[in-house]
Amino acid sequence: MSKNAYVTFLPDDNDIENIISLYYTYKKTNSLYPFIVLYCDNITNKAIKRLQDYGVTLARIPAEKQYKNDEKLGIRKNNLYPFTMVDYDKIMYVNWQNQVFLKNADILFDYQEFPLIWTWVNPGNSNEIRLNNIWYSCVPNKEIYQQMAKGMENDYIEGRVAYEVLKVH
């Protein structure tokens, strides 16, 4: 059996209820694969303890990989961190916002290609429309991670750089 995992990211303590809901529904599916919550240094010990009490597997993003200068860019770049998790054959990234597992999704790991699933986000009264990833599958590869992170930082084109790199690979 290949070594796969579901991964999500906890950006701050305010999103802990979303993570708990996502984890609760994941547990009910009897998945064969682990569910890992990535977090950064801004998460309090109280939040970490609460997730541990639920049985959630946590993995801290190393300090040198954390992006703290710009919150929006940081969250997007931290969402790419699963590409560095080379101890796994395949990662299924699940966004923490308003997501639940309705049934076991393990079959998705069997697909050679799995498209990014995006939603359109229109923040407030803005004319700006952003893409927000919900699910993606990746074969961890640090080189691809570096390309996406660098492109995202250099261009600050929300979503487009990551999508273009993923589409090619």
Side-chain angles (χ1 to χ4, degrees):
M1 177 184 245
S2 60
K3 189 172 179 187
N4 300 322
Y6 292 98
V7 174
T8 194
F9 173 64
L10 176 62
D12 61 50
D13 286 6
N14 295 328
D15 291 302
I16 195 165
E17 297 301 327
N18 292 343
I19 298 291
I20 291 169
S21 296
L22 181 61
Y23 181 71
Y24 175 79
T25 60
Y26 153 81
K27 288 296 284 181
K28 293 179 91 44
T29 69
N30 298 314
S31 173
L32 298 175
Y33 304 111
F35 182 89
I36 302 167
V37 175
L38 301 173
Y39 70 96
C40 293
D41 293 336
N42 63 315
I43 304 302
T44 64
N45 288 336
K46 181 180 176 182
I48 291 169
K49 171 85 169 87
R50 185 164 177 214
L51 290 170
Q52 288 171 333
D53 289 347
Y54 276 95
V56 174
T57 301
L58 296 162
R60 184 181 154 275
I61 295 177
E64 66 275 8
K65 299 280 187 195
Q66 295 180 27
Y67 297 93
K68 302 172 185 173
N69 297 339
D70 183 309
E71 184 180 349
K72 287 181 183 178
L73 179 61
I75 288 172
R76 284 170 178 75
K77 289 178 83 172
N78 288 330
N79 284 339
L80 299 177
Y81 186 76
F83 278 89
T84 69
M85 300 173 74
V86 294
D87 291 342
Y88 293 92
D89 297 325
K90 192 177 265 187
I91 299 288
M92 190 66 61
Y93 176 83
V94 184
N95 191 298
W96 71 93
Q97 296 173 315
N98 306 313
Q99 301 297 309
V100 294
F101 284 85
L102 298 177
K103 64 180 187 174
N104 187 304
D106 289 355
I107 193 169
L108 296 176
F109 287 105
D110 295 337
Y111 291 108
Q112 289 290 2
E113 294 182 10
F114 179 81
L116 238 52
I117 299 175
W118 296 90
T119 58
W120 292 96
V121 177
N122 186 346
N125 295 325
S126 170
N127 289 330
E128 172 188 15
I129 294 181
R130 288 186 256 155
L131 289 173
N132 185 24
N133 64 319
I134 299 175
W135 283 75
Y136 72 76
S137 167
C138 73
V139 174
N141 180 314
K142 289 183 180 182
E143 185 177 307
I144 290 174
Y145 167 81
Q146 291 297 334
Q147 289 174 3
M148 288 189 301
K150 183 175 171 55
M152 196 177 281
E153 189 171 286
N154 289 344
D155 298 333
Y156 203 102
I157 299 172
E158 298 179 7
R160 182 173 150 235
V161 173
Y163 174 74
E164 293 299 324
V165 173
L166 284 173
K167 189 170 71 174
V168 171
H169 298 281

